[in-house]
PDB file of all heavy atoms in Angstrom:
ATOM      1  N   GLU A 171       5.371  56.551 -36.550  1.00 47.00           N
ATOM      2  CA  GLU A 171       6.032  56.509 -37.854  1.00 47.00           C
ATOM      3  C   GLU A 171       5.198  57.214 -38.904  1.00 47.00           C
ATOM      4  O   GLU A 171       5.713  57.940 -39.753  1.00 47.00           O
ATOM      5  CB  GLU A 171       6.277  55.052 -38.260  1.00 47.00           C
ATOM      6  CG  GLU A 171       7.315  54.369 -37.400  1.00 47.00           C
ATOM      7  CD  GLU A 171       7.474  52.904 -37.791  1.00 47.00           C
ATOM      8  OE1 GLU A 171       6.706  52.476 -38.682  1.00 47.00           O
ATOM      9  OE2 GLU A 171       8.362  52.250 -37.255  1.00 47.00           O
ATOM     10  N   ALA A 172       3.883  57.028 -38.823  1.00 43.00           N
ATOM     11  CA  ALA A 172       2.984  57.697 -39.786  1.00 43.00           C
ATOM     12  C   ALA A 172       3.036  59.192 -39.629  1.00 43.00           C
ATOM     13  O   ALA A 172       3.028  59.949 -40.603  1.00 43.00           O
ATOM     14  CB  ALA A 172       1.548  57.190 -39.608  1.00 43.00           C
ATOM     15  N   ASP A 173       3.119  59.621 -38.329  1.00 46.00           N
ATOM     16  CA  ASP A 173       3.196  61.061 -38.080  1.00 46.00           C
ATOM     17  C   ASP A 173       4.476  61.635 -38.670  1.00 46.00           C
ATOM     18  O   ASP A 173       4.491  62.722 -39.258  1.00 46.00           O
ATOM     19  CB  ASP A 173       3.169  61.356 -36.575  1.00 46.00           C
ATOM     20  CG  ASP A 173       1.779  61.093 -35.982  1.00 46.00           C
ATOM     21  OD1 ASP A 173       0.813  61.034 -36.791  1.00 46.00           O
ATOM     22  OD2 ASP A 173       1.672  60.963 -34.749  1.00 46.00           O
ATOM     23  N   VAL A 174       5.591  60.835 -38.492  1.00 40.00           N
ATOM     24  CA  VAL A 174       6.852  61.306 -39.051  1.00 40.00           C
ATOM     25  C   VAL A 174       6.756  61.412 -40.563  1.00 40.00           C
ATOM     26  O   VAL A 174       7.169  62.380 -41.180  1.00 40.00           O
ATOM     27  CB  VAL A 174       8.003  60.352 -38.645  1.00 40.00           C
ATOM     28  CG1 VAL A 174       9.284  60.730 -39.402  1.00 40.00           C
ATOM     29  CG2 VAL A 174       8.235  60.393 -37.150  1.00 40.00           C
ATOM     30  N   THR A 175       6.164  60.362 -41.168  1.00 44.00           N
ATOM     31  CA  THR A 175       5.999  60.370 -42.631  1.00 44.00           C
ATOM     32  C   THR A 175       5.125  61.518 -43.074  1.00 44.00           C
ATOM     33  O   THR A 175       5.420  62.231 -44.032  1.00 44.00           O
ATOM     34  CB  THR A 175       5.375  59.035 -43.089  1.00 44.00           C
ATOM     35  OG1 THR A 175       6.198  57.963 -42.659  1.00 44.00           O
ATOM     36  CG2 THR A 175       5.229  59.014 -44.622  1.00 44.00           C
ATOM     37  N   THR A 176       4.029  61.709 -42.303  1.00 43.00           N
ATOM     38  CA  THR A 176       3.107  62.801 -42.652  1.00 43.00           C
ATOM     39  C   THR A 176       3.795  64.146 -42.535  1.00 43.00           C
ATOM     40  O   THR A 176       3.651  65.033 -43.381  1.00 43.00           O
ATOM     41  CB  THR A 176       1.884  62.765 -41.729  1.00 43.00           C
ATOM     42  OG1 THR A 176       1.258  61.505 -41.868  1.00 43.00           O
ATOM     43  CG2 THR A 176       0.900  63.882 -42.094  1.00 43.00           C
ATOM     44  N   THR A 177       4.581  64.253 -41.449  1.00 44.00           N
ATOM     45  CA  THR A 177       5.299  65.514 -41.244  1.00 44.00           C
ATOM     46  C   THR A 177       6.281  65.775 -42.372  1.00 44.00           C
ATOM     47  O   THR A 177       6.381  66.884 -42.891  1.00 44.00           O
ATOM     48  CB  THR A 177       6.054  65.479 -39.900  1.00 44.00           C
ATOM     49  OG1 THR A 177       5.130  65.253 -38.853  1.00 44.00           O
ATOM     50  CG2 THR A 177       6.800  66.805 -39.667  1.00 44.00           C
ATOM     51  N   THR A 178       6.972  64.682 -42.767  1.00 44.00           N
ATOM     52  CA  THR A 178       7.934  64.822 -43.862  1.00 44.00           C
ATOM     53  C   THR A 178       7.239  65.224 -45.143  1.00 44.00           C
ATOM     54  O   THR A 178       7.689  66.115 -45.876  1.00 44.00           O
ATOM     55  CB  THR A 178       8.690  63.492 -44.071  1.00 44.00           C
ATOM     56  OG1 THR A 178       9.325  63.118 -42.863  1.00 44.00           O
ATOM     57  CG2 THR A 178       9.720  63.638 -45.198  1.00 44.00           C
ATOM     58  N   VAL A 179       6.102  64.545 -45.408  1.00 40.00           N
ATOM     59  CA  VAL A 179       5.344  64.865 -46.616  1.00 40.00           C
ATOM     60  C   VAL A 179       4.865  66.298 -46.577  1.00 40.00           C
ATOM     61  O   VAL A 179       4.930  67.044 -47.555  1.00 40.00           O
ATOM     62  CB  VAL A 179       4.155  63.889 -46.779  1.00 40.00           C
ATOM     63  CG1 VAL A 179       3.234  64.365 -47.903  1.00 40.00           C
ATOM     64  CG2 VAL A 179       4.651  62.494 -47.054  1.00 40.00           C
ATOM     65  N   ARG A 180       4.363  66.655 -45.339  1.00 45.00           N
ATOM     66  CA  ARG A 180       3.876  68.028 -45.224  1.00 45.00           C
ATOM     67  C   ARG A 180       5.001  69.026 -45.421  1.00 45.00           C
ATOM     68  O   ARG A 180       4.826  70.082 -46.021  1.00 45.00           O
ATOM     69  CB  ARG A 180       3.224  68.231 -43.857  1.00 45.00           C
ATOM     70  CG  ARG A 180       1.848  67.569 -43.785  1.00 45.00           C
ATOM     71  CD  ARG A 180       1.225  67.756 -42.422  1.00 45.00           C
ATOM     72  NE  ARG A 180      -0.104  67.142 -42.397  1.00 45.00           N
ATOM     73  CZ  ARG A 180      -0.835  67.032 -41.276  1.00 45.00           C
ATOM     74  NH1 ARG A 180      -0.354  67.497 -40.137  1.00 45.00           N
ATOM     75  NH2 ARG A 180      -2.011  66.472 -41.343  1.00 45.00           N
ATOM     76  N   GLU A 181       6.214  68.712 -44.896  1.00 46.00           N
ATOM     77  CA  GLU A 181       7.336  69.606 -45.085  1.00 46.00           C
ATOM     78  C   GLU A 181       7.693  69.706 -46.567  1.00 46.00           C
ATOM     79  O   GLU A 181       7.962  70.791 -47.077  1.00 46.00           O
ATOM     80  CB  GLU A 181       8.545  69.103 -44.291  1.00 46.00           C
ATOM     81  CG  GLU A 181       8.391  69.282 -42.796  1.00 46.00           C
ATOM     82  CD  GLU A 181       9.561  68.698 -42.027  1.00 46.00           C
ATOM     83  OE1 GLU A 181      10.428  68.079 -42.677  1.00 46.00           O
ATOM     84  OE2 GLU A 181       9.620  68.889 -40.824  1.00 46.00           O
ATOM     85  N   ASP A 182       7.669  68.508 -47.240  1.00 47.00           N
ATOM     86  CA  ASP A 182       7.966  68.528 -48.678  1.00 47.00           C
ATOM     87  C   ASP A 182       6.933  69.346 -49.417  1.00 47.00           C
ATOM     88  O   ASP A 182       7.246  70.146 -50.302  1.00 47.00           O
ATOM     89  CB  ASP A 182       7.997  67.105 -49.233  1.00 47.00           C
ATOM     90  CG  ASP A 182       9.180  66.320 -48.711  1.00 47.00           C
ATOM     91  OD1 ASP A 182      10.149  66.967 -48.220  1.00 47.00           O
ATOM     92  OD2 ASP A 182       9.137  65.087 -48.808  1.00 47.00           O
ATOM     93  N   GLU A 183       5.655  69.099 -49.039  1.00 46.00           N
ATOM     94  CA  GLU A 183       4.587  69.865 -49.701  1.00 46.00           C
ATOM     95  C   GLU A 183       4.722  71.342 -49.407  1.00 46.00           C
ATOM     96  O   GLU A 183       4.499  72.204 -50.266  1.00 46.00           O
ATOM     97  CB  GLU A 183       3.227  69.359 -49.249  1.00 46.00           C
ATOM     98  CG  GLU A 183       2.892  67.964 -49.771  1.00 46.00           C
ATOM     99  CD  GLU A 183       1.535  67.482 -49.257  1.00 46.00           C
ATOM    100  OE1 GLU A 183       0.985  68.153 -48.361  1.00 46.00           O
ATOM    101  OE2 GLU A 183       1.041  66.452 -49.766  1.00 46.00           O
ATOM    102  N   SER A 184       5.089  71.674 -48.145  1.00 46.00           N
ATOM    103  CA  SER A 184       5.264  73.077 -47.777  1.00 46.00           C
ATOM    104  C   SER A 184       6.376  73.704 -48.589  1.00 46.00           C
ATOM    105  O   SER A 184       6.264  74.823 -49.082  1.00 46.00           O
ATOM    106  CB  SER A 184       5.575  73.171 -46.275  1.00 46.00           C
ATOM    107  OG  SER A 184       5.823  74.502 -45.920  1.00 46.00           O
ATOM    108  N   SER A 185       7.484  72.898 -48.764  1.00 48.00           N
ATOM    109  CA  SER A 185       8.611  73.416 -49.559  1.00 48.00           C
ATOM    110  C   SER A 185       8.196  73.650 -50.991  1.00 48.00           C
ATOM    111  O   SER A 185       8.496  74.670 -51.585  1.00 48.00           O
ATOM    112  CB  SER A 185       9.769  72.406 -49.494  1.00 48.00           C
ATOM    113  OG  SER A 185      10.825  72.831 -50.320  1.00 48.00           O
ATOM    114  N   LYS A 186       7.438  72.633 -51.531  1.00 47.00           N
ATOM    115  CA  LYS A 186       6.973  72.798 -52.913  1.00 47.00           C
ATOM    116  C   LYS A 186       6.022  73.968 -53.021  1.00 47.00           C
ATOM    117  O   LYS A 186       6.026  74.707 -53.989  1.00 47.00           O
ATOM    118  CB  LYS A 186       6.279  71.523 -53.385  1.00 47.00           C
ATOM    119  CG  LYS A 186       7.229  70.375 -53.593  1.00 47.00           C
ATOM    120  CD  LYS A 186       6.481  69.125 -54.076  1.00 47.00           C
ATOM    121  CE  LYS A 186       7.450  67.965 -54.285  1.00 47.00           C
ATOM    122  NZ  LYS A 186       6.737  66.749 -54.727  1.00 47.00           N
ATOM    123  N   SER A 187       5.170  74.113 -51.975  1.00 45.00           N
ATOM    124  CA  SER A 187       4.217  75.225 -51.987  1.00 45.00           C
ATOM    125  C   SER A 187       4.945  76.553 -51.991  1.00 45.00           C
ATOM    126  O   SER A 187       4.569  77.480 -52.699  1.00 45.00           O
ATOM    127  CB  SER A 187       3.303  75.115 -50.768  1.00 45.00           C
ATOM    128  OG  SER A 187       2.424  76.217 -50.724  1.00 45.00           O
TER     129      SER A 187
END
Side-chain angles (χ1 to χ4, degrees):
E171 291 177 357
D173 289 342
V174 172
T175 303
T176 302
T177 302
T178 303
V179 171
R180 285 179 179 173
E181 288 176 355
D182 291 341
E183 290 178 350
S184 177
S185 176
K186 290 180 180 179
S187 177

